[in-house]
Amino acid sequence: TCQLISTEVKAENNLMANGDFETNPPSNFTSDYKYAGWDPYQYYSDHGGASNLYAITHDATYFWKDFAQVTPHGGQYFALFDAGTSGDAWRASTADNPNLIIEKDSIYLFSYYAAYPNQKANNSPAELQFVIICKDANGKKQTFNLGNVHKLGQTSPLNAWELREERWKAPFSSNDVTISVYDENKSSGGNDFCLDDIMFQNTSYIEQKIIKTYIFHLEVCNNPPCDDPVVHTKE
């Protein structure tokens, strides 16, 4: 007898509401950056190169003609960020998502898709970090950075969607949780990025027992030279 342990990841188990940015107006999350609107046409050109903002759009070129064409990873919309300073580009809390709680020793999957909208590489790209903040049993806030910093603009093709995912084991239970995608790039130039299909879910463990059963068939051989019963095994 042996045991196999596998994790189960399903989109319907996502603890994040509106992680795909399809709800208008945007809901279930906050940002350190100013909201520029839903599909604002040529916003960047019309506002004199504004920064520290985000928009929900269907095409990066619709927001600014000099961006490369980035369209949603899934659905019809995604979030586009022009981050002039570092900060929480996207932040969700239990207050915004009542299902966002953690259970001690459970394994959680945190993932997103990100894209680099600039037409040239190394234009001071965003440096994104997963962050989880939760209160422990004593009411003290604990902060966890998950994985390494994700620097955009390093892939080919340059403007393709990139999957980033991290698994994290909760050290305690909490019903006061905040998770975020934090941009660590402090540059005022460049620092543009897109996010879509953000997921946070408990990956449940499934134990499967596999038992190998051996069936013995006794056959009598009536013809020489077989004088004794022969035992055949079949798994």
Side-chain angles (χ1 to χ4, degrees):
T1 302
C2 63
Q3 286 186 333
L4 296 179
I5 298 179
S6 60
T7 55
E8 200 172 39
V9 179
K10 294 183 178 180
E12 58 264 31
N13 293 336
N14 192 3
L15 298 177
M16 300 311 314
N18 197 31
D20 54 6
F21 302 105
E22 296 296 312
T23 302
N24 183 13
S27 60
N28 306 103
F29 71 94
T30 58
S31 176
D32 286 343
Y33 309 128
K34 177 183 176 182
Y35 179 49
W38 187 274
D39 239 352
Y41 180 70
Q42 292 301 319
Y43 184 97
Y44 193 83
S45 299
D46 294 341
H47 289 77
S51 62
N52 293 322
L53 54 85
Y54 78 96
I56 308 299
T57 187
H58 74 287
D59 187 333
T61 61
Y62 196 83
F63 179 83
W64 186 33
K65 61 180 177 57
D66 288 341
F67 274 150
Q69 186 176 43
V70 178
T71 55
H73 173 263
Q76 300 181 48
Y77 297 97
F78 64 92
L80 174 66
F81 297 86
D82 185 339
T85 58
S86 60
D88 280 335
W90 172 92
R91 177 178 55 238
S93 67
T94 307
D96 303 314
N97 298 265
N99 293 328
L100 184 55
I101 60 174
I102 59 173
E103 301 173 0
K104 183 179 178 179
D105 295 331
S106 291
I107 306 294
Y108 291 87
L109 172 68
F110 193 2
S111 65
Y112 64 61
Y113 282 88
Y116 177 78
N118 295 301
Q119 297 193 44
K120 295 182 179 180
N122 301 318
N123 187 18
S124 187
E127 300 173 9
L128 305 180
Q129 175 71 63
F130 280 135
V131 180
I132 295 182
I133 302 174
C134 40
K135 288 185 178 180
D136 60 21
N138 298 318
K140 183 178 179 180
K141 286 186 176 181
Q142 305 282 352
T143 301
F144 304 90
N145 291 337
L146 276 63
N148 298 321
V149 172
H150 180 198
K151 188 173 182 179
L152 297 180
Q154 311 299 304
T155 60
S156 180
L158 183 62
N159 309 115
W161 287 102
E162 306 172 31
L163 173 63
R164 178 66 186 275
E165 55 184 7
E166 296 289 342
R167 280 182 167 81
W168 174 73
K169 184 176 182 179
F172 50 79
S173 298
S174 178
N175 58 3
D176 190 341
V177 182
T178 298
I179 62 178
S180 68
V181 177
Y182 184 84
D183 181 18
E184 293 196 350
N185 189 348
K186 299 179 180 180
S187 172
S188 60
N191 211 2
D192 309 313
F193 60 99
C194 310
L195 288 179
D196 204 359
D197 294 334
I198 298 173
M199 176 178 287
F200 184 75
Q201 72 169 263
N202 186 347
T203 55
S204 58
Y205 278 94
I206 303 171
E207 293 188 359
Q208 299 174 331
K209 290 185 178 180
I210 297 179
I211 301 175
K212 292 185 176 180
T213 303
Y214 294 89
I215 302 173
F216 295 88
H217 296 278
L218 298 180
E219 297 181 6
V220 178
C221 181
N222 294 319
N223 298 318
C226 182
D227 297 324
D228 298 320
V230 178
V231 179
H232 298 274
T233 64
K234 180 175 70 174
E235 183 180 331

